[in-house]
Amino acid sequence: MRRKFYITTPIYYVNDVPHIGTAYCTIAADIIARYHRLLGEDVFFLTGTDENAIKVARAAQEHGKHPQEFVDELAQQFQDVWKAFNISYDDFIRTTQQRHRMAVVKFIEQITRHSPDVIYPSYYEGWYCVFEETFYTDEEIVDGKCPECGRQVQLVREPAFYFRLSSFSEKLLRFYEEHPEFLAPDFRGHEVISFVRSGLKDVAITRVSKWGIPFPISHPESEGHMVVYVWFDALVNYLSGIGYGSDEPEDVEKFNRYWPADLHLVGKDIYTRFHCTMWPAMLIAAGLELPRCVFGHGFWNIEGEKMSKSKGNVIEPVSLANEIVSRTGCTFDRAVDAIRYFLFREVSFGLDGDFQRANLYARFNSDLANDLGNLVQRVLVMVRRFIGGKVPPLSDACGELRGLLSELVPTITQAMDGYEFSQALSAIWEVVRSSNRFIERRAPWQLSKEGRRQELQDVLRELLDVLSSLAIMLSPFMPSTAFEIARQMGACHLFDGWRWEHILRFDKLPDGLSTSEPQVLFPKGEIVHAGASQSAQEGEVRKAACEGETTMGAQYITIDEFKRLDLRAVKVVHAEQIQGADKLLKLEVDMGTERRTVVAGIAQEFAPEELIGKTLVLVANLTPAKIRGVISQGMILAAGEDKPLALVTLDREVPPGTKIS
Ligand code: ME8
């Protein structure tokens, strides 16, 4: 039987249009879904919208619309954007749909049957943030404000039903221990375990409101409109989206086929508390199987700042694609793929990233126009010019690039399996760049001039085979470009049949196949910042694009420019020499909320042992870079120009993560 793979994204609040953050998670899920389809698996990919939130009703009111009319419009906008971005979801669940409402009621009933005392009536009194839809304790609020968004919280007392989350700590900890693959990436797992160990509190799972799913049990002391707390409702989408709650035989079959989810992909904001604690506890209470894995990805800032409506820096995916079209002259589909590529190449999946337009255009020019686009164009032009536009016969003579592919494919596959997209793309680009170098070295134009026909055919055949393999490897990331490469090779009718296992099969293209007219894939675009073009070069420590301008162009920087640096006190918890690099140490540092790995060029001056326990200063928002195979998530500050003379430390102890300003 085919292996099934059920993957989900969060369902997004429809209080606003999709932005680059929600697109990021959805594209990630699309990449994974497409990859698993290429592996031949029976994939179900669910996304959707979270519509019962009070903030959604409030946004509708601000727009002078009835909530249902408002959510209908926005849910459509989400679907339109996902369509433009080639998101291959299998179903789109909306929490105002009848199928979901029925599922929530059934789920609550199932809990009361399976775990009779887990849901109980009481009163809720606490601090509530309407914007975040979350209750906070006295300790959690900060100066009367929400710890997440900084908005004023309200003291609320009302009859409510509770979910006895406190009784699940032991069960959850045992589950994490027995299923280490459940919490991913690893560093987020530590956070979850300490959160649960610190003791869980029962959660109010109802609200008094008119907008939402009516709670199916009546409260002994209330006749008010009690609805299901939006998170308790929203999480159930992962069940209702695959048929739970319906008695139709095909829905029952679908649910049995796909549950439990293989991967819930979510951002770090909703990882620990909701997806790794509350959700598994709800499932245990209902007697349902638990998901196989919850992966918490990082967040994007925009040019050094948190993305927010009030700052006016929210990036809408379709507007960004249109901007790329107008700056570079590429098609809309290529622009979409450029964004898809950039988001997953630029930053290791799981870590935070800083979206800088300069880097987007630098990568567009270097990786897409110069490397990939150029390769495809050159090969197809040469096939037309030198051998009549037909795929030459396969021969045993060639093999250099095939050898390279055979070496790299296991690495690429491993990276894909581990959701290490940046590493996978980096290895794929090794193939692209090696192929360009192969063309330079074998100089087909020279072979043609000298009439060395067999060699010429062999070289071009090998290059065509590499292009067809690239089309497969790129298709999860850049589906329309991958198809376009196949189309220009004359192989669009074959493309759908290609699977991941075919990457290393070099008979994908039939001998004599006619290639099509080559067309430029990525025209070279405008660079936003001068210093940025080198910044996309492989493997080097990259500086923020603004740095070059300010330090080279002017003696002073403004206070705002300085504020873009995120400097933090960090404690070294582990240090070791990087093998084969005498100057480099790999440090693991505690930043309070997370642990980071940092590569520092200080090995000749400082021994690993003397660093452990020291509090140092980290530039925390430097774009991560891969150095000697290690992803460095920041830079340690030291005095000295050519070599580090002393490390920057603090004159007294402060908690790890303290901001330095
Ligand atoms: O939380 N960078 O919905 P939401 C990267 N409805 N990803 C980002 C991001 C950023 N700056 N901003 C948002 C909700 N995201 C609930 C979910 S699920 C049962 C209910 C992404 O509209 C990220 O994946 O606030 C985050 O988890 C999600 O959007 C939150 O979307």
Side-chain angles (χ1 to χ4, degrees), residues 5 7-9 12 22-38 43-47 82-90 263 265 336-337 340 344 349 416 421 474-480:
F5 188 81
I7 177 169
T8 66
T9 70
Y12 305 108
T22 43
Y24 180 58
C25 188
T26 313
I27 298 169
D30 188 55
I31 291 169
I32 299 169
R34 286 174 184 273
Y35 170 63
H36 280 267
R37 286 193 200 105
L38 281 174
V43 173
F44 197 90
F45 169 15
L46 181 73
T47 189
W82 297 162
K83 187 158 184 252
F85 272 69
N86 274 312
I87 305 299
S88 61
Y89 59 78
D90 293 291
L263 179 62
L265 204 56
V336 162
D337 276 356
R340 292 178 60 123
F344 292 92
F349 193 55
M416 294 300 287
F421 304 124
L474 289 174
S475 67
F477 298 98
M478 308 171 75
S480 79

Side-chain angles (χ1 to χ4, degrees), residues 9-15 19-22 24-25 50 55 78 231 234-238 265-270 275 297-301 307:
T9 70
I11 47 170
Y12 305 108
Y13 289 128
V14 283
N15 57 334
H19 53 67
I20 204 73
T22 43
Y24 180 58
C25 188
D50 191 349
K55 66 177 162 194
F78 270 84
W231 268 103
L235 287 160
V236 177
N237 91 86
Y238 301 132
L265 204 56
V266 299
K268 64 178 185 179
D269 55 333
I270 55 176
H275 282 84
H297 67 75
F299 257 46
W300 282 94
N301 282 340
M307 183 165 61

Side-chain angles (χ1 to χ4, degrees), residues 278-415:
M278 189 155 138
W279 179 227
M282 285 162 67
L283 290 165
I284 296 172
L288 288 168
E289 250 191 280
L290 269 52
R292 304 258 186 260
C293 177
V294 184
F295 187 104
H297 67 75
F299 257 46
W300 282 94
N301 282 340
I302 309 295
E303 312 273 352
E305 296 209 315
K306 197 172 167 185
M307 183 165 61
S308 84
K309 244 179 143 178
S310 55
K311 291 208 176 86
N313 63 353
V314 175
I315 296 184
E316 288 178 25
V318 172
S319 314
L320 181 64
N322 284 328
E323 175 197 304
I324 296 174
V325 169
S326 64
R327 283 196 176 166
T328 66
C330 71
T331 63
F332 183 83
D333 278 346
R334 287 303 84 68
V336 162
D337 276 356
I339 297 170
R340 292 178 60 123
Y341 171 76
F342 174 74
L343 291 175
F344 292 92
R345 176 64 195 270
E346 186 73 356
V347 172
S348 280
F349 193 55
L351 304 182
D352 290 345
D354 187 28
F355 184 94
Q356 305 215 3
R357 276 187 162 70
N359 292 353
L360 167 69
Y361 286 100
R363 284 211 181 271
F364 186 101
N365 284 343
S366 77
D367 303 6
L368 299 178
N370 276 353
D371 296 341
L372 178 66
N374 202 16
L375 173 68
V376 175
Q377 169 97 1
R378 285 165 101 187
V379 172
L380 293 176
V381 165
M382 290 190 296
V383 168
R384 272 180 107 74
R385 190 170 299 157
F386 302 140
I387 56 169
K390 291 220 183 318
V391 173
L394 194 60
S395 97
D396 297 335
C398 31
E400 184 180 328
L401 290 178
R402 293 193 190 124
L404 177 77
L405 258 184
S406 313
E407 266 172 42
L408 285 174
V409 167
T411 310
I412 297 169
T413 306
Q414 202 182 4

Side-chain angles (χ1 to χ4, degrees), residues 445-461:
W445 46 91
Q446 201 61 35
L447 298 175
S448 168
K449 212 153 125 198
E450 292 169 11
R452 290 151 70 186
R453 187 148 182 94
Q454 187 59 48
E455 275 176 74
L456 175 65
Q457 284 193 356
D458 290 348
V459 165
L460 292 177
R461 171 74 203 211

Side-chain angles (χ1 to χ4, degrees), residues 36 62 135 191 211 236 276 280 337 400 476 506 552 564 588:
H36 280 267
E62 281 163 14
F135 295 112
E191 190 184 300
W211 181 247
V236 177
C276 297
D337 276 356
E400 184 180 328
F506 300 110
M552 289 186 297
R564 292 180 61 186
E588 201 176 320

